[in-house]
Amino acid sequence: MKSLMHTFLLSTLFGMCLNVNAITASPQNWWVGMQSQQLQIMLHKANIAKQQWQLEPHAGVELTSITHTDNPNYAFLNLTINPDAKPASLIFKSKSGERFEYPLLAREKNSSQRKGFNSSDTIYLINPDRFANGDNSNDTIQGMLEAANPQERGGRHGGDIQGIIDALPYLQKLGVTQLWLTPPLENDMPSYSYHGYAITDFYTIDPRMGSNELYRELSAKAKQHGIGMVMDLVLNHFGSEHEWMTDKPTADWINFNGDFANGKHATSHARQTIQDPHASEFDKRQFSDGWFVATMPDLNQRQPLLATYLIQNAIWWIEYADLSGIRVDTYSYSDKAFLANWTKAIMTEYPDFNIVGEEWTSNPAIASYWQAGKVNNDGYTSSLPSVMDFSLQEALIQALNEDESWNTGWVKVYQSIANDFLYPNPDNLLVFADNHDMSRVFTELEQDLDKTKMAMAMLLTTRGIAQMYYGTEVLLDNTDSNDHGDIRIDFPGGFKGQTSNAFTGQGLSDEQRDMQQAITTLLNFRKQSPAIAHGKLTHFSPKAGIYSYARISDQQTVLVFLNKNSAAKSWSLAYMQEVIGQHKQAINLFTNQAISLIDTVTLAPKSATVLIIE
């Protein structure tokens, strides 16, 4: 009954918001029993500031104040919701006789205790438009600026949320435990809207992807398959077709007065200015306030009403869609004081939640600045649990492509991981071989199956949270082009007319089948391995083209050998006695054969050997 009431109340409000003469309220609803008792509702309607609002009495809920801005089309209602408040449809009335209802809902049981993604997980990154088209009827939506154009590399290809729902059995069998979708929110832009990062409505799923209800259905059905949902949120910028560009809630809502100035107000991308003790204020502002491009205006998170809006938006999606995590796009580009408050608000509401921030740098001194628990020289305190490990990604590609020497090859991976002393919690770093913004790992590794299998074996067995880009399991490739539209290639089997199908295996090459099986073996091992989930990492200095390490827990030890050599190696285990101990035998993960640990092991050429000691 609670679910039905939830749907009815939300549908009523969403229907009201479609009426151009009605009041738009953001967020669309809220919940009782939240950790924070404060709620700010942004109302939008022509000349709404002239209205004097009152809340019909409801026990435990108080309208404490109303904030007006320099734009008469907005009003912000500030409410206090006490812990004893009950679910209801709040009634707001103005002295002129206007009224609207606001749903105040009951939370799902134990919502605040939800578990976030962690080092036992594998996150599968999907660009929804390019994964699977489960509903052809929404490929083009009348009234939206961009129609479907599957032949255009930068066009919309028609993938959607229904396609991902249909693929859940495949993803479960593959061994995926979390889904990260690039933003499925409305991107009503005239071109390149498929990627999702130019948001035009922060509370609405793009109709070409589905609907809010369908996104919530995806989350619920994914959970039934043992898969959590990680939402990709954008705090730094939005799409230039958003109504804020023509009707800003405040004059200072957008950085540089909402003017890109033909590139004069573009970001410098000089992320090091945040930590640089010698950086000028001019350079700091040019980085954090500058726009990416003219179509992505930069938000001013120093504006307190906007800051509250963004905090509440994140919490709303966590509650509404039952999320297990958030990935934050272009993390460090937002105002850093706001980021501290944003992460603290979410982690206070959900202490066991997880958030990963994108800080695209191979310098761990810069990346580690943002992780919770880091003691920074400037006194900055972050509550961000996880950051993306771009250092290891870059080192891994170089290591597999370079010849071995004292300063090239595997030593770069070794050195990258040795820098873990900079992080408060290296086990909570997100490790990956590629993502939606870079060439695919199979491409970077020169279309070499063996090297690609080694790369993925390493990332799926080292410390940290593993993230894999969709299609890696079937060697998707963009060798002929670095265009993002080609990096974000259509998943085989997700669209009509394709000759191969990764879901069924039909039409795949022998190499693709080999890779898919290797990934399936690794991911399903991760799901049940205590050593991979929370074991200590001990690694050994590379030698003779071989990098080796152990993951050690009380219940299990896993030995990993990555052999770059073109010939097999009979490899002495004498140096590994500290991790092998008294154990005499292990099981090879890929062959299921018993392997003696008495003296040497045989390492196949250009291969990953994973040995399990129970």
Side-chain angles (χ1 to χ4, degrees):
M1 179 62 70
K2 181 176 71 174
S3 178
L4 289 174
M5 180 60 72
H6 181 281
T7 301
F8 171 76
L9 289 171
L10 286 182
S11 298
T12 299
L13 186 62
F14 292 153
M16 181 179 71
C17 292
L18 289 175
N19 182 346
V20 296
N21 295 316
I23 296 168
T24 300
S26 301
Q28 292 97 321
N29 70 280
W30 206 245
W31 293 266
V32 297
M34 303 294 286
Q35 179 71 24
S36 172
Q37 297 179 28
Q38 306 307 308
L39 171 65
Q40 185 172 86
I41 306 173
M42 182 173 78
L43 303 183
H44 184 211
K45 183 185 177 182
N47 293 313
I48 197 170
K50 294 180 179 180
Q51 304 284 5
Q52 297 181 30
W53 294 100
Q54 292 181 335
L55 170 65
E56 283 194 356
H58 180 73
V61 181
E62 179 184 2
L63 176 60
T64 55
S65 65
I66 302 175
T67 302
H68 295 112
T69 72
D70 45 33
N71 186 338
N73 297 333
Y74 291 87
F76 294 80
L77 306 184
N78 303 304
L79 277 67
T80 297
I81 305 173
N82 294 319
D84 59 349
K86 303 299 182 184
S89 184
L90 301 178
I91 307 297
F92 292 89
K93 293 182 177 179
S94 72
K95 290 188 176 181
S96 64
E98 193 165 7
R99 72 193 298 275
F100 73 93
E101 298 184 17
Y102 190 82
L104 191 60
L105 307 176
R107 300 178 79 182
E108 294 295 328
K109 186 178 180 181
N110 299 321
S111 178
S112 62
Q113 281 78 52
R114 70 183 62 237
K115 300 296 182 183
F117 62 85
N118 58 49
S119 57
S120 68
D121 282 310
T122 302
I123 302 174
Y124 192 80
L125 166 59
I126 292 175
N127 185 283
D129 182 66
R130 304 301 172 86
F131 185 65
N133 191 348
D135 182 2
N136 293 325
S137 70
N138 65 7
D139 292 358
T140 295
I141 299 292
Q142 186 175 3
M144 300 198 78
L145 296 176
E146 187 175 19
N149 187 2
Q151 286 71 45
E152 174 60 38
R153 60 173 50 156
R156 299 193 73 92
H157 290 193
D160 50 33
I161 292 170
Q162 186 59 54
I164 300 170
I165 291 174
D166 296 343
L168 288 173
Y170 166 80
L171 296 171
Q172 181 181 26
K173 183 179 179 181
L174 188 66
V176 171
T177 60
Q178 300 282 340
L179 288 181
W180 158 20
L181 276 57
T182 56
L185 298 177
E186 182 192 276
N187 269 242
D188 194 9
M189 302 290 289
S191 61
Y192 292 98
S193 64
Y194 79 93
H195 60 68
Y197 290 96
I199 295 168
T200 54
D201 188 330
F202 284 86
Y203 279 100
T204 301
I205 296 295
D206 195 297
R208 294 161 295 189
M209 294 284 177
S211 65
N212 284 32
E213 282 296 320
L214 191 65
Y215 182 75
R216 189 164 59 166
E217 180 183 331
L218 167 61
S219 180
K221 289 185 174 178
K223 203 169 189 178
Q224 294 170 8
H225 287 80
I227 299 172
M229 289 293 296
V230 179
M231 195 171 202
D232 197 340
L233 292 186
V234 186
L235 306 177
N236 178 66
H237 52 267
F238 64 106
S240 58
E241 295 296 326
H242 196 294
E243 64 182 359
W244 288 341
M245 287 300 286
T246 55
D247 195 16
K248 292 183 291 185
T250 66
D252 59 350
W253 201 259
I254 305 170
N255 282 322
F256 288 116
N257 298 314
D259 183 12
F260 187 58
N262 293 320
K264 291 181 181 179
H265 295 154
T267 180
S268 65
H269 297 291
R271 53 185 31 81
Q272 67 276 4
T273 57
I274 301 299
Q275 295 85 8
D276 181 2
H278 314 293
S280 68
E281 293 303 317
F282 174 85
D283 286 342
K284 290 179 183 179
R285 186 183 180 211
Q286 199 66 39
F287 166 66
S288 63
D289 290 11
W291 300 21
F292 269 59
V293 290
T295 54
M296 291 183 176
D298 204 75
L299 289 166
N300 175 21
Q301 301 88 12
R302 294 181 296 273
Q303 162 48 251
L305 297 171
L306 172 59
T308 299
Y309 179 97
L310 293 172
I311 290 169
Q312 291 181 167
N313 179 255
I315 293 172
W316 189 87
W317 278 111
I318 295 169
E319 288 287 327
Y320 176 81
D322 193 20
L323 302 180
S324 60
I326 289 172
R327 180 263 185 182
V328 184
D329 182 62
T330 58
Y331 187 81
S332 63
Y333 288 77
S334 295
D335 178 73
K336 73 174 190 177
F338 159 77
L339 290 171
N341 294 331
W342 184 87
T343 51
K344 183 178 180 181
I346 295 171
M347 297 308 297
T348 299
E349 199 69 59
Y350 310 98
D352 296 324
F353 198 62
N354 210 347
I355 309 169
V356 59
E358 179 197 29
E359 173 61 309
W360 195 329
T361 176
S362 59
N363 184 348
I366 292 176
S368 64
Y369 177 88
W370 300 104
Q371 193 177 34
K374 183 66 180 287
V375 178
N376 291 306
N377 287 340
D378 63 359
Y380 183 74
T381 301
S382 175
S383 297
L384 179 70
S386 175
V387 294
M388 298 172 69
D389 193 351
F390 281 92
S391 171
L392 183 57
Q393 187 276 333
E394 180 180 284
L396 180 60
I397 299 300
Q398 291 176 352
L400 285 164
N401 283 335
E402 294 175 346
D403 292 334
E404 289 293 306
S405 73
W406 69 273
N407 66 346
T408 59
W410 283 126
V411 69
K412 290 189 174 178
V413 168
Y414 182 86
Q415 290 171 343
S416 178
I417 292 177
N419 281 326
D420 279 0
F421 71 90
L422 292 166
Y423 292 98
N425 186 5
D427 290 332
N428 207 31
L429 299 177
L430 189 76
V431 299
F432 57 100
D434 58 4
N435 63 28
H436 59 297
D437 287 325
M438 56 179 63
S439 282
R440 289 180 170 272
V441 60
F442 187 56
T443 303
E444 288 294 297
L445 295 178
E446 302 164 333
Q447 299 176 305
D448 188 312
L449 172 64
D450 293 331
K451 290 198 293 186
T452 306
K453 288 169 69 174
M454 276 192 282
M456 297 310 298
M458 189 268 169
L459 288 169
L460 295 171
T461 56
T462 190
R463 54 82 174 128
I465 305 155
Q467 173 248 296
M468 187 176 77
Y469 194 26
Y470 78 94
T472 296
E473 72 271 28
V474 288
L475 302 173
L476 290 192
D477 183 24
N478 62 281
T479 295
D480 296 331
S481 167
N482 286 324
D483 187 274
H484 279 190
D486 293 321
I487 292 170
R488 302 159 187 169
I489 190 173
D490 290 350
F491 188 80
F495 301 86
K496 290 182 178 179
Q498 294 174 307
T499 57
S500 61
N501 189 325
F503 299 124
T504 65
Q506 181 180 358
L508 297 182
S509 68
D510 290 342
E511 282 199 339
Q512 287 178 307
R513 293 175 187 275
D514 188 356
M515 186 69 186
Q516 192 176 47
Q517 182 56 55
I519 291 293
T520 301
T521 299
L522 283 162
L523 295 194
N524 282 280
F525 174 61
R526 279 184 64 86
K527 289 172 70 171
Q528 51 81 36
S529 169
I532 301 302
H534 51 73
K536 174 187 175 184
L537 170 65
T538 297
H539 67 164
F540 297 87
S541 183
K543 56 183 177 180
I546 295 170
Y547 176 50
S548 56
Y549 52 92
R551 300 296 307 279
I552 308 162
S553 70
D554 292 340
Q555 304 95 334
Q556 182 188 67
T557 295
V558 176
L559 308 179
V560 181
F561 303 86
L562 302 170
N563 178 20
K564 277 176 59 180
N565 296 286
S566 298
K569 289 281 187 179
S570 180
W571 195 247
S572 172
L573 298 176
Y575 71 100
M576 297 189 80
Q577 287 309 303
E578 65 183 89
V579 296
I580 295 174
Q582 300 302 311
H583 295 285
K584 307 298 183 185
Q585 185 173 281
I587 300 297
N588 186 306
L589 173 65
F590 296 111
T591 66
N592 206 35
Q593 293 178 320
I595 303 296
S596 172
L597 300 176
I598 299 299
D599 187 16
T600 63
V601 292
T602 299
L603 306 179
K606 294 183 67 176
S607 70
T609 301
V610 180
L611 304 181
I612 306 163
I613 304 172
E614 299 290 353

